[in-house]
Amino acid sequence: MRLIFLGPPGAGKGTQAKLLTEKYNIPQLSTGDMLRAAVAEQSEVGKRAKAVMDAGQLVSDEIVNEIVSDRIDQPDCAAGFILDGYPRTVPQAVALAKMLEGKGLTLDAVIELKVDEEALLKRIENRVAETLAAGGKVRSDDNPESVKKRLVEYREKTAPLSQHYASTGQLKTVDGMADVGVVTREIEKILG
């Protein structure tokens, strides 16, 4: 099973991907996690990615495509994977289709989590408060200004993916503002 989750930052893509990875025993490929790992390692690509992420912007297609291609080749992806936060742009979607075709793979579904942006900002503020209250470390991109920038960038660059995947017949939408369990059940209905 090979899936893509679409939706703005904070829509719940990561939460839903984690639930499905447990059910289907396939990995969640979060470009955010992979990029943060590169930043933590302070590799050359990690340093470039950190500067971009700290500015509240999206990392270049070249860096992300390379990370995703290498990750898909890992043995734990043989039975499938869930892409979380990738592709973010139509050019990345085109690159992904070519990448998968070159590997003899196809996508099973593209699931978009639809959300209300104002409620989403509240959700992210709550996530930050809960993380701090638990003594955790808040991600550098989890602040109102960064999130607002990411939402604008999402609308401009990522939202057209909905139209792209709708034209391929792969797009399915779910109300991402519903309770986590309700969202999970809706996704499972789509997957049959």
Side-chain angles (χ1 to χ4, degrees):
M1 178 177 299
R2 289 173 291 279
L3 306 173
I4 291 175
F5 277 134
L6 296 179
K13 299 179 302 291
T15 298
Q16 293 301 322
K18 285 180 178 136
L19 293 169
L20 290 174
T21 61
E22 293 170 10
K23 180 171 182 168
Y24 295 103
N25 198 28
I26 57 175
Q28 170 193 6
L29 306 183
S30 167
T31 50
D33 289 347
M34 288 186 274
L35 288 168
R36 282 187 286 280
V39 168
E41 293 166 7
Q42 296 186 352
S43 65
E44 181 182 326
V45 70
K47 289 176 185 174
R48 290 194 323 250
K50 182 180 183 342
V52 174
M53 291 183 337
D54 285 349
Q57 298 174 349
L58 300 176
V59 177
S60 75
D61 287 357
E62 178 187 345
I63 292 170
V64 177
N65 293 342
E66 184 177 336
I67 288 171
V68 171
S69 181
D70 290 347
R71 184 64 182 92
I72 288 172
D73 290 338
Q74 299 300 311
D76 66 335
C77 290
F81 50 82
I82 300 169
L83 289 169
D84 165 20
Y86 177 89
R88 290 184 192 259
T89 64
V90 172
Q92 282 183 352
V94 171
L96 175 64
K98 289 178 184 172
M99 178 193 315
L100 292 175
E101 183 179 337
K103 297 174 188 294
L105 304 172
T106 58
L107 288 174
D108 293 300
V110 178
I111 299 171
E112 180 177 25
L113 300 179
K114 293 275 197 178
V115 297
D116 172 84
E117 288 188 12
E118 288 301 315
L120 184 65
L121 285 170
K122 277 278 196 216
R123 181 186 283 181
I124 290 171
E125 288 172 10
N126 291 340
R127 181 170 72 192
V128 168
E130 289 169 6
T131 300
L132 291 173
K137 185 177 179 187
V138 176
R139 290 173 20 184
S140 63
D141 58 351
D142 256 0
N143 64 70
E145 287 307 310
S146 180
V147 170
K148 287 176 186 173
K149 284 182 188 177
R150 290 164 59 209
L151 286 171
V152 168
E153 192 133 7
Y154 175 80
R155 281 193 304 274
E156 292 173 357
K157 295 182 180 177
T158 309
L161 283 172
S162 297
Q163 294 170 335
H164 173 78
Y165 283 117
S167 73
T168 68
Q170 295 170 300
L171 184 71
K172 307 294 181 199
T173 60
V174 174
D175 177 8
M177 297 308 294
D179 180 70
V180 171
V182 172
V183 174
T184 302
R185 286 190 293 281
E186 289 300 312
I187 291 170
E188 288 175 348
K189 284 181 195 174
I190 290 168
L191 300 177

